[in-house]
Amino acid sequence: NAGVTQTPKFQVLKTGQSMTLQCAQDMNHNSMYWYRQDPGMGLRLIYYSASEGTTDKGEVPNGYNVSRLNKREFSLRLESAAPSQTSVYFCASSDGVQPLAKNIQYFGAGTRLSVL
Amino acid sequence: GESVGLHLPTLSVQEGDNSIINCAYSNSASDYFIWYKQESGKGPQFIIDIRSNMDKRQGQRVTVLLNKTVKHLSLQIAATQPGDSAVYFCAEKSVLTGGGNKLTFGTGTQLKVEL
């Protein structure tokens, strides 16, 4: 059982380049999330998908777009990378949709992105 | 707005001692909290959770305490081992406007276990 799989693990981009980070989960979870992690700032939510067919902005969505391709896959796209987007990106999934549900999120191993 | 913070950014303990990691939260309406462990180069890993209708919950070598009066959460690790060295995050759940739930994470505490 792989859980949450992210690709690539590492990436170096030049300013202005575009790329897509891929995420897939095999736990049949409804909700998926993209976070970025910067030193001393914890995890910040970029975008999320509460269920298949829906996506919404999180705390720091500027410069990113997402696609919930199907129930398993949720991709994050940087259209024109900037140095401020240098970070570690984590994808997560959870089964909790209802407000009273727990929201145990399971995380992938991360993508380490450097924008030069 | 809501925030989740930690009192100590780094905690050093001797192997075999007990560790206590603290967390303060500001949203009194939060009804669910989680502790995560993140080892170097890896994603956060779920450790233990607690609902707001509980004061204490125990797992294997870990205990979470919730004090709603002062909006304080703590993680206690018994007989700390070298493998416990990691960054520990607390997170509180809130409902998203688009449906589903979100977690707001604290900045983390680095736990270092000295041999």
Side-chain angles (χ1 to χ4, degrees), chain A residues 31 33 35 37 40-43 45 48 50 54 56-57 59 90 96-110 112, chain B residues 31-32 34 36 38 40-46 49 51 57 89 93-108:
Chain A
S31 301
Y33 311 81
Y35 293 89
Q37 185 175 38
M41 299 190 73
L43 290 152
L45 183 65
Y48 66 98
T54 69
D56 282 285
K57 296 178 180 179
E59 304 166 56
F90 288 100
V97 177
Q98 300 305 316
L100 293 179
K102 289 186 175 184
N103 189 19
I104 300 174
Q105 294 184 17
Y106 296 89
F107 287 80
R112 283 144 187 83
Chain B
D31 64 353
Y32 179 66
I34 301 179
Y36 281 90
Q38 186 176 23
S40 180
K42 297 183 179 180
Q45 179 183 10
F46 169 82
D49 59 354
R51 290 195 183 275
R57 189 160 190 235
F89 294 94
K93 189 198 84 174
S94 57
V95 178
L96 289 160
T97 54
N101 304 307
K102 79 165 187 176
L103 293 176
T104 300
F105 289 84
T107 53

Short mmCIF file of all heavy atoms in Angstrom, two decimals, chain A residues 31 33 35 37 40-43 45 48 50 54 56-57 59 90 96-110 112, chain B residues 31-32 34 36 38 40-46 49 51 57 89 93-108:
data_model
loop_
_atom_site.label_atom_id
_atom_site.label_comp_id
_atom_site.label_asym_id
_atom_site.label_seq_id
_atom_site.Cartn_x
_atom_site.Cartn_y
_atom_site.Cartn_z
N SER A 31 -10.83 13.72 -0.11
CA SER A 31 -10.22 15.04 -0.10
C SER A 31 -8.72 14.97 -0.33
O SER A 31 -8.04 14.07 0.16
CB SER A 31 -10.48 15.74 1.24
OG SER A 31 -11.87 15.87 1.48
N TYR A 33 -5.07 17.67 -0.83
CA TYR A 33 -4.55 18.99 -0.46
C TYR A 33 -3.13 19.17 -1.01
O TYR A 33 -2.37 18.21 -1.13
CB TYR A 33 -4.48 19.12 1.06
CG TYR A 33 -5.74 18.72 1.80
CD1 TYR A 33 -6.01 17.38 2.07
CD2 TYR A 33 -6.64 19.69 2.23
CE1 TYR A 33 -7.15 17.01 2.74
CE2 TYR A 33 -7.80 19.32 2.92
CZ TYR A 33 -8.04 17.99 3.17
OH TYR A 33 -9.18 17.62 3.84
N TYR A 35 0.21 21.59 0.02
CA TYR A 35 0.83 22.50 0.97
C TYR A 35 2.22 22.88 0.47
O TYR A 35 2.87 22.14 -0.26
CB TYR A 35 1.01 21.84 2.33
CG TYR A 35 -0.24 21.50 3.08
CD1 TYR A 35 -0.87 20.27 2.90
CD2 TYR A 35 -0.76 22.39 4.01
CE1 TYR A 35 -2.01 19.95 3.62
CE2 TYR A 35 -1.90 22.06 4.73
CZ TYR A 35 -2.52 20.84 4.54
OH TYR A 35 -3.64 20.52 5.26
N GLN A 37 5.93 24.09 2.40
CA GLN A 37 6.58 24.19 3.70
C GLN A 37 7.86 24.99 3.56
O GLN A 37 8.77 24.60 2.84
CB GLN A 37 6.89 22.81 4.27
CG GLN A 37 7.47 22.85 5.67
CD GLN A 37 7.66 21.47 6.27
OE1 GLN A 37 8.03 20.52 5.58
NE2 GLN A 37 7.39 21.34 7.56
N GLY A 40 10.58 27.63 9.29
CA GLY A 40 10.00 28.46 10.33
C GLY A 40 8.56 28.86 10.12
O GLY A 40 8.00 29.63 10.90
N MET A 41 7.92 28.33 9.04
CA MET A 41 6.55 28.76 8.77
C MET A 41 5.57 27.60 8.75
O MET A 41 4.42 27.78 8.39
CB MET A 41 6.48 29.52 7.44
CG MET A 41 7.31 30.78 7.44
SD MET A 41 7.02 31.80 6.01
CE MET A 41 5.42 32.47 6.39
N GLY A 42 6.00 26.43 9.10
CA GLY A 42 5.08 25.31 9.12
C GLY A 42 4.54 24.99 7.72
O GLY A 42 5.17 25.30 6.70
N LEU A 43 3.38 24.41 7.68
CA LEU A 43 2.74 24.01 6.42
C LEU A 43 1.62 24.99 6.10
O LEU A 43 0.76 25.26 6.95
CB LEU A 43 2.16 22.60 6.54
CG LEU A 43 3.19 21.48 6.62
CD1 LEU A 43 2.65 20.30 7.39
CD2 LEU A 43 3.58 21.06 5.22
N LEU A 45 -1.51 25.93 3.37
CA LEU A 45 -2.38 25.31 2.37
C LEU A 45 -2.43 26.16 1.12
O LEU A 45 -2.75 27.35 1.17
CB LEU A 45 -3.78 25.13 2.97
CG LEU A 45 -4.81 24.45 2.10
CD1 LEU A 45 -4.40 23.00 1.84
CD2 LEU A 45 -6.18 24.50 2.77
N TYR A 48 -6.97 23.00 -2.29
CA TYR A 48 -7.50 21.73 -1.85
C TYR A 48 -8.65 21.31 -2.75
O TYR A 48 -9.22 22.12 -3.49
CB TYR A 48 -7.97 21.80 -0.39
CG TYR A 48 -9.16 22.71 -0.15
CD1 TYR A 48 -10.45 22.19 -0.07
CD2 TYR A 48 -8.99 24.08 0.02
CE1 TYR A 48 -11.54 23.00 0.14
CE2 TYR A 48 -10.08 24.90 0.23
CZ TYR A 48 -11.35 24.37 0.31
OH TYR A 48 -12.43 25.19 0.52
N ALA A 50 -12.02 19.17 -1.95
CA ALA A 50 -12.82 18.49 -0.93
C ALA A 50 -13.36 17.15 -1.44
O ALA A 50 -13.51 16.20 -0.68
CB ALA A 50 -13.95 19.38 -0.45
N THR A 54 -14.18 19.05 -7.52
CA THR A 54 -14.15 20.38 -6.91
C THR A 54 -12.73 20.75 -6.50
O THR A 54 -11.95 19.89 -6.08
CB THR A 54 -15.03 20.45 -5.66
OG1 THR A 54 -14.45 19.65 -4.62
CG2 THR A 54 -16.44 19.95 -5.94
N ASP A 56 -10.61 24.32 -4.58
CA ASP A 56 -10.76 25.65 -3.98
C ASP A 56 -9.42 26.16 -3.50
O ASP A 56 -8.50 25.38 -3.23
CB ASP A 56 -11.73 25.59 -2.80
CG ASP A 56 -13.17 25.55 -3.23
OD1 ASP A 56 -13.69 26.59 -3.66
OD2 ASP A 56 -13.76 24.45 -3.17
N LYS A 57 -9.34 27.48 -3.36
CA LYS A 57 -8.11 28.12 -2.91
C LYS A 57 -7.92 27.94 -1.42
O LYS A 57 -8.88 27.95 -0.65
CB LYS A 57 -8.14 29.61 -3.25
CG LYS A 57 -8.18 29.91 -4.74
CD LYS A 57 -8.25 31.40 -4.99
CE LYS A 57 -8.31 31.68 -6.50
NZ LYS A 57 -8.40 33.15 -6.77
N GLU A 59 -4.73 29.14 1.64
CA GLU A 59 -4.18 30.38 2.18
C GLU A 59 -3.28 31.11 1.20
O GLU A 59 -3.21 32.34 1.18
CB GLU A 59 -3.36 30.07 3.43
CG GLU A 59 -4.08 29.33 4.54
CD GLU A 59 -3.09 28.79 5.54
OE1 GLU A 59 -2.31 29.59 6.08
OE2 GLU A 59 -3.06 27.57 5.78
N PHE A 90 4.11 19.53 -0.36
CA PHE A 90 3.54 18.28 0.11
C PHE A 90 2.11 18.15 -0.37
O PHE A 90 1.32 19.09 -0.31
CB PHE A 90 3.56 18.20 1.63
CG PHE A 90 4.92 18.00 2.21
CD1 PHE A 90 5.63 19.06 2.74
CD2 PHE A 90 5.50 16.73 2.23
CE1 PHE A 90 6.90 18.87 3.27
CE2 PHE A 90 6.76 16.53 2.76
CZ PHE A 90 7.46 17.61 3.28
N GLY A 96 -12.06 12.57 5.45
CA GLY A 96 -13.06 13.37 6.14
C GLY A 96 -13.66 14.45 5.27
O GLY A 96 -12.96 15.34 4.81
N VAL A 97 -14.94 14.40 5.03
CA VAL A 97 -15.62 15.42 4.26
C VAL A 97 -16.62 16.16 5.13
O VAL A 97 -16.70 17.38 5.11
CB VAL A 97 -16.35 14.83 3.04
CG1 VAL A 97 -17.11 15.92 2.29
CG2 VAL A 97 -15.37 14.13 2.13
N GLN A 98 -17.38 15.43 5.93
CA GLN A 98 -18.38 16.04 6.78
C GLN A 98 -17.72 16.88 7.88
O GLN A 98 -16.65 16.54 8.36
CB GLN A 98 -19.26 14.97 7.41
CG GLN A 98 -20.01 14.14 6.41
CD GLN A 98 -20.84 14.98 5.46
OE1 GLN A 98 -21.51 15.92 5.88
NE2 GLN A 98 -20.78 14.68 4.18
N PRO A 99 -18.35 17.98 8.27
CA PRO A 99 -17.74 18.86 9.29
C PRO A 99 -17.38 18.16 10.58
O PRO A 99 -16.42 18.53 11.24
CB PRO A 99 -18.82 19.92 9.51
CG PRO A 99 -19.57 19.97 8.22
CD PRO A 99 -19.57 18.56 7.72
N LEU A 100 -18.14 17.12 10.96
CA LEU A 100 -17.85 16.46 12.22
C LEU A 100 -16.83 15.34 12.08
O LEU A 100 -16.42 14.74 13.08
CB LEU A 100 -19.15 15.89 12.82
CG LEU A 100 -20.17 16.93 13.26
CD1 LEU A 100 -21.41 16.24 13.81
CD2 LEU A 100 -19.59 17.86 14.31
N ALA A 101 -16.42 15.08 10.86
CA ALA A 101 -15.47 13.99 10.64
C ALA A 101 -14.09 14.38 11.10
O ALA A 101 -13.72 15.55 11.12
CB ALA A 101 -15.44 13.61 9.18
N LYS A 102 -13.33 13.39 11.47
CA LYS A 102 -11.92 13.63 11.71
C LYS A 102 -11.29 14.04 10.39
O LYS A 102 -11.84 13.81 9.33
CB LYS A 102 -11.25 12.37 12.22
CG LYS A 102 -11.65 12.00 13.64
CD LYS A 102 -10.81 10.82 14.11
CE LYS A 102 -11.09 10.51 15.55
NZ LYS A 102 -10.21 9.42 16.05
N ASN A 103 -10.15 14.64 10.47
CA ASN A 103 -9.44 15.03 9.25
C ASN A 103 -8.00 14.60 9.36
O ASN A 103 -7.09 15.42 9.29
CB ASN A 103 -9.55 16.52 9.01
CG ASN A 103 -9.01 16.91 7.65
OD1 ASN A 103 -8.89 16.08 6.76
ND2 ASN A 103 -8.67 18.17 7.47
N ILE A 104 -7.78 13.30 9.53
CA ILE A 104 -6.41 12.80 9.56
C ILE A 104 -5.90 12.84 8.14
O ILE A 104 -6.40 12.12 7.27
CB ILE A 104 -6.32 11.38 10.12
CG1 ILE A 104 -6.87 11.35 11.56
CG2 ILE A 104 -4.88 10.89 10.09
CD1 ILE A 104 -6.96 9.97 12.14
N GLN A 105 -4.94 13.69 7.91
CA GLN A 105 -4.37 13.81 6.57
C GLN A 105 -3.09 12.98 6.48
O GLN A 105 -2.27 13.01 7.38
CB GLN A 105 -4.08 15.28 6.25
CG GLN A 105 -5.36 16.10 6.16
CD GLN A 105 -5.10 17.53 5.76
OE1 GLN A 105 -4.04 17.87 5.24
NE2 GLN A 105 -6.09 18.38 5.97
N TYR A 106 -2.97 12.27 5.36
CA TYR A 106 -1.81 11.44 5.12
C TYR A 106 -0.99 12.11 4.03
O TYR A 106 -1.52 12.47 2.98
CB TYR A 106 -2.25 10.03 4.70
CG TYR A 106 -3.00 9.34 5.80
CD1 TYR A 106 -4.38 9.47 5.91
CD2 TYR A 106 -2.33 8.58 6.75
CE1 TYR A 106 -5.08 8.86 6.94
CE2 TYR A 106 -3.02 7.96 7.78
CZ TYR A 106 -4.39 8.10 7.87
OH TYR A 106 -5.08 7.51 8.90
N PHE A 107 0.29 12.25 4.29
CA PHE A 107 1.16 13.05 3.45
C PHE A 107 2.08 12.21 2.58
O PHE A 107 2.51 11.11 2.97
CB PHE A 107 2.03 13.97 4.31
CG PHE A 107 1.29 15.12 4.91
CD1 PHE A 107 0.53 14.96 6.04
CD2 PHE A 107 1.35 16.37 4.31
CE1 PHE A 107 -0.17 16.02 6.60
CE2 PHE A 107 0.65 17.44 4.85
CZ PHE A 107 -0.11 17.26 5.99
N GLY A 108 2.42 12.76 1.41
CA GLY A 108 3.47 12.19 0.59
C GLY A 108 4.83 12.61 1.11
O GLY A 108 4.94 13.34 2.10
N ALA A 109 5.88 12.17 0.42
CA ALA A 109 7.25 12.43 0.85
C ALA A 109 7.74 13.81 0.47
O ALA A 109 8.79 14.25 0.93
CB ALA A 109 8.19 11.36 0.29
N GLY A 110 7.01 14.50 -0.39
CA GLY A 110 7.38 15.87 -0.74
C GLY A 110 8.14 16.01 -2.03
O GLY A 110 8.79 15.07 -2.50
N ARG A 112 10.96 18.72 -3.52
CA ARG A 112 11.84 19.84 -3.18
C ARG A 112 12.13 20.63 -4.44
O ARG A 112 12.79 20.14 -5.34
CB ARG A 112 13.11 19.32 -2.53
CG ARG A 112 12.86 18.93 -1.09
CD ARG A 112 13.64 17.73 -0.62
NE ARG A 112 13.21 17.33 0.71
CZ ARG A 112 12.15 16.56 0.98
NH1 ARG A 112 11.42 16.08 -0.01
NH2 ARG A 112 11.81 16.27 2.21
N ASP B 31 -12.58 21.79 17.33
CA ASP B 31 -13.10 20.61 17.99
C ASP B 31 -12.24 19.38 17.81
O ASP B 31 -12.60 18.29 18.26
CB ASP B 31 -14.54 20.32 17.51
CG ASP B 31 -14.59 19.96 16.03
OD1 ASP B 31 -13.55 20.08 15.35
OD2 ASP B 31 -15.67 19.58 15.56
N TYR B 32 -11.11 19.55 17.16
CA TYR B 32 -10.30 18.38 16.86
C TYR B 32 -8.87 18.81 16.64
O TYR B 32 -8.62 19.81 15.95
CB TYR B 32 -10.86 17.68 15.62
CG TYR B 32 -10.12 16.47 15.16
CD1 TYR B 32 -10.06 15.32 15.92
CD2 TYR B 32 -9.47 16.48 13.93
CE1 TYR B 32 -9.38 14.21 15.48
CE2 TYR B 32 -8.79 15.37 13.48
CZ TYR B 32 -8.76 14.23 14.26
OH TYR B 32 -8.08 13.13 13.82
N ILE B 34 -4.60 17.37 16.11
CA ILE B 34 -3.72 16.27 15.71
C ILE B 34 -2.28 16.64 16.01
O ILE B 34 -1.89 17.81 15.87
CB ILE B 34 -3.84 15.97 14.19
CG1 ILE B 34 -5.26 15.61 13.80
CG2 ILE B 34 -2.91 14.83 13.80
CD1 ILE B 34 -5.42 15.35 12.30
N TYR B 36 1.55 15.65 14.60
CA TYR B 36 2.30 15.00 13.54
C TYR B 36 3.79 15.00 13.88
O TYR B 36 4.29 15.90 14.55
CB TYR B 36 2.14 15.75 12.21
CG TYR B 36 0.85 15.48 11.48
CD1 TYR B 36 -0.27 16.27 11.72
CD2 TYR B 36 0.76 14.45 10.55
CE1 TYR B 36 -1.46 16.03 11.03
CE2 TYR B 36 -0.42 14.21 9.86
CZ TYR B 36 -1.51 15.00 10.12
OH TYR B 36 -2.69 14.75 9.44
N GLN B 38 7.55 14.80 11.92
CA GLN B 38 8.20 14.89 10.62
C GLN B 38 9.70 14.66 10.77
O GLN B 38 10.41 15.48 11.36
CB GLN B 38 7.94 16.26 9.97
CG GLN B 38 8.48 16.34 8.54
CD GLN B 38 8.14 17.64 7.85
OE1 GLN B 38 7.88 18.65 8.49
NE2 GLN B 38 8.13 17.63 6.53
N SER B 40 13.51 14.18 9.11
CA SER B 40 14.23 14.92 8.09
C SER B 40 14.05 14.29 6.70
O SER B 40 14.27 13.09 6.53
CB SER B 40 15.72 14.97 8.45
OG SER B 40 16.45 15.69 7.48
N GLY B 41 13.63 15.10 5.76
CA GLY B 41 13.47 14.63 4.39
C GLY B 41 12.22 13.84 4.11
O GLY B 41 12.05 13.29 3.02
N LYS B 42 11.30 13.81 5.08
CA LYS B 42 10.07 13.04 4.91
C LYS B 42 8.86 13.92 5.11
O LYS B 42 8.95 15.04 5.60
CB LYS B 42 10.04 11.87 5.88
CG LYS B 42 11.16 10.85 5.68
CD LYS B 42 11.00 9.69 6.65
CE LYS B 42 12.09 8.65 6.43
NZ LYS B 42 11.96 7.49 7.37
N GLY B 43 7.71 13.39 4.75
CA GLY B 43 6.47 14.10 4.98
C GLY B 43 5.99 13.90 6.41
O GLY B 43 6.42 12.98 7.11
N PRO B 44 5.09 14.77 6.89
CA PRO B 44 4.54 14.61 8.24
C PRO B 44 3.81 13.27 8.39
O PRO B 44 3.14 12.82 7.47
CB PRO B 44 3.57 15.79 8.36
CG PRO B 44 4.06 16.80 7.38
CD PRO B 44 4.60 15.99 6.24
N GLN B 45 3.93 12.70 9.57
CA GLN B 45 3.33 11.40 9.86
C GLN B 45 2.41 11.55 11.06
O GLN B 45 2.82 12.09 12.10
CB GLN B 45 4.43 10.38 10.14
CG GLN B 45 3.94 9.00 10.47
CD GLN B 45 5.08 8.05 10.82
OE1 GLN B 45 6.22 8.48 10.99
NE2 GLN B 45 4.80 6.77 10.91
N PHE B 46 1.18 11.07 10.94
CA PHE B 46 0.21 11.14 12.02
C PHE B 46 0.71 10.37 13.25
O PHE B 46 1.22 9.26 13.14
CB PHE B 46 -1.11 10.54 11.54
CG PHE B 46 -2.12 10.31 12.63
CD1 PHE B 46 -2.91 11.35 13.07
CD2 PHE B 46 -2.28 9.06 13.20
CE1 PHE B 46 -3.86 11.15 14.06
CE2 PHE B 46 -3.21 8.84 14.20
CZ PHE B 46 -4.01 9.88 14.63
N ASP B 49 -4.40 11.84 17.86
CA ASP B 49 -5.37 12.91 17.74
C ASP B 49 -6.24 12.96 19.00
O ASP B 49 -6.23 12.05 19.82
CB ASP B 49 -6.24 12.74 16.50
CG ASP B 49 -7.00 11.42 16.48
OD1 ASP B 49 -6.78 10.57 17.37
OD2 ASP B 49 -7.82 11.23 15.56
N ARG B 51 -10.23 14.72 20.29
CA ARG B 51 -11.41 15.59 20.09
C ARG B 51 -11.53 16.52 21.28
O ARG B 51 -11.05 16.24 22.37
CB ARG B 51 -12.66 14.75 19.94
CG ARG B 51 -12.74 13.96 18.65
CD ARG B 51 -14.16 13.47 18.40
NE ARG B 51 -14.30 12.65 17.21
CZ ARG B 51 -14.48 13.13 15.99
NH1 ARG B 51 -14.54 14.42 15.79
NH2 ARG B 51 -14.63 12.31 14.97
N ARG B 57 -5.69 11.64 25.90
CA ARG B 57 -5.77 10.45 25.06
C ARG B 57 -4.39 9.82 25.02
O ARG B 57 -3.39 10.51 24.83
CB ARG B 57 -6.26 10.78 23.66
CG ARG B 57 -6.57 9.55 22.84
CD ARG B 57 -7.49 9.86 21.68
NE ARG B 57 -7.94 8.62 21.08
CZ ARG B 57 -7.81 8.33 19.80
NH1 ARG B 57 -7.24 9.19 18.99
NH2 ARG B 57 -8.26 7.18 19.34
N PHE B 89 4.63 18.73 14.99
CA PHE B 89 3.65 19.78 14.71
C PHE B 89 2.32 19.45 15.37
O PHE B 89 1.87 18.30 15.33
CB PHE B 89 3.36 19.86 13.20
CG PHE B 89 4.52 20.30 12.36
CD1 PHE B 89 5.35 19.36 11.76
CD2 PHE B 89 4.76 21.64 12.14
CE1 PHE B 89 6.41 19.76 10.96
CE2 PHE B 89 5.81 22.05 11.34
CZ PHE B 89 6.64 21.11 10.75
N LYS B 93 -8.25 21.47 13.52
CA LYS B 93 -9.17 21.31 12.39
C LYS B 93 -10.16 22.46 12.34
O LYS B 93 -10.66 22.91 13.37
CB LYS B 93 -9.93 19.99 12.52
CG LYS B 93 -10.74 19.63 11.29
CD LYS B 93 -11.80 18.58 11.60
CE LYS B 93 -13.04 19.24 12.17
NZ LYS B 93 -14.14 18.28 12.35
N SER B 94 -10.46 22.90 11.14
CA SER B 94 -11.55 23.85 10.94
C SER B 94 -12.25 23.49 9.64
O SER B 94 -11.70 22.76 8.81
CB SER B 94 -11.04 25.29 10.90
OG SER B 94 -10.06 25.46 9.90
N VAL B 95 -13.45 24.01 9.48
CA VAL B 95 -14.26 23.66 8.30
C VAL B 95 -13.96 24.64 7.17
O VAL B 95 -13.89 25.85 7.40
CB VAL B 95 -15.76 23.69 8.64
CG1 VAL B 95 -16.59 23.37 7.41
CG2 VAL B 95 -16.05 22.68 9.74
N LEU B 96 -13.77 24.12 5.97
CA LEU B 96 -13.51 24.94 4.80
C LEU B 96 -14.81 25.45 4.18
O LEU B 96 -15.82 24.74 4.18
CB LEU B 96 -12.73 24.15 3.75
CG LEU B 96 -11.27 23.85 4.11
CD1 LEU B 96 -10.76 22.69 3.29
CD2 LEU B 96 -10.42 25.08 3.89
N THR B 97 -14.79 26.65 3.61
CA THR B 97 -15.99 27.20 3.01
C THR B 97 -16.41 26.39 1.79
O THR B 97 -17.59 26.34 1.45
CB THR B 97 -15.77 28.66 2.58
OG1 THR B 97 -14.63 28.73 1.74
CG2 THR B 97 -15.54 29.54 3.80
N GLY B 98 -15.44 25.75 1.12
CA GLY B 98 -15.76 24.96 -0.04
C GLY B 98 -16.16 23.54 0.27
O GLY B 98 -16.36 22.71 -0.63
N GLY B 99 -16.30 23.25 1.54
CA GLY B 99 -16.62 21.89 1.94
C GLY B 99 -15.38 21.17 2.43
O GLY B 99 -14.27 21.52 2.08
N GLY B 100 -15.57 20.16 3.22
CA GLY B 100 -14.42 19.44 3.76
C GLY B 100 -13.82 20.19 4.93
O GLY B 100 -14.35 21.18 5.43
N ASN B 101 -12.70 19.69 5.36
CA ASN B 101 -12.04 20.26 6.53
C ASN B 101 -10.62 20.67 6.16
O ASN B 101 -10.05 20.18 5.20
CB ASN B 101 -11.98 19.22 7.64
CG ASN B 101 -13.33 18.69 7.99
OD1 ASN B 101 -14.25 19.44 8.27
ND2 ASN B 101 -13.49 17.38 7.94
N LYS B 102 -10.05 21.53 6.96
CA LYS B 102 -8.64 21.86 6.79
C LYS B 102 -7.95 21.77 8.12
O LYS B 102 -8.58 21.80 9.18
CB LYS B 102 -8.44 23.25 6.19
CG LYS B 102 -8.59 24.40 7.17
CD LYS B 102 -8.00 25.68 6.57
CE LYS B 102 -7.98 26.80 7.58
NZ LYS B 102 -7.32 28.02 7.04
N LEU B 103 -6.65 21.62 8.07
CA LEU B 103 -5.82 21.65 9.27
C LEU B 103 -4.95 22.89 9.24
O LEU B 103 -4.35 23.20 8.21
CB LEU B 103 -4.93 20.41 9.33
CG LEU B 103 -5.62 19.06 9.53
CD1 LEU B 103 -4.60 17.93 9.47
CD2 LEU B 103 -6.39 19.02 10.84
N THR B 104 -4.87 23.59 10.34
CA THR B 104 -3.95 24.72 10.50
C THR B 104 -2.80 24.23 11.37
O THR B 104 -3.02 23.80 12.50
CB THR B 104 -4.64 25.92 11.15
OG1 THR B 104 -5.71 26.33 10.31
CG2 THR B 104 -3.66 27.07 11.30
N PHE B 105 -1.60 24.30 10.82
CA PHE B 105 -0.43 23.75 11.49
C PHE B 105 0.35 24.82 12.23
O PHE B 105 0.46 25.97 11.78
CB PHE B 105 0.51 23.11 10.45
CG PHE B 105 -0.02 21.85 9.86
CD1 PHE B 105 -0.89 21.88 8.79
CD2 PHE B 105 0.35 20.62 10.38
CE1 PHE B 105 -1.40 20.71 8.24
CE2 PHE B 105 -0.14 19.44 9.84
CZ PHE B 105 -1.02 19.49 8.76
N GLY B 106 0.94 24.43 13.35
CA GLY B 106 1.90 25.27 14.03
C GLY B 106 3.23 25.24 13.31
O GLY B 106 3.41 24.50 12.33
N THR B 107 4.19 26.01 13.78
CA THR B 107 5.48 26.11 13.11
C THR B 107 6.40 24.94 13.45
O THR B 107 7.40 24.74 12.78
CB THR B 107 6.19 27.42 13.46
OG1 THR B 107 6.25 27.54 14.88
CG2 THR B 107 5.42 28.61 12.89
N GLY B 108 6.10 24.16 14.48
CA GLY B 108 6.88 22.96 14.78
C GLY B 108 7.88 23.13 15.91
O GLY B 108 8.37 24.23 16.16
#
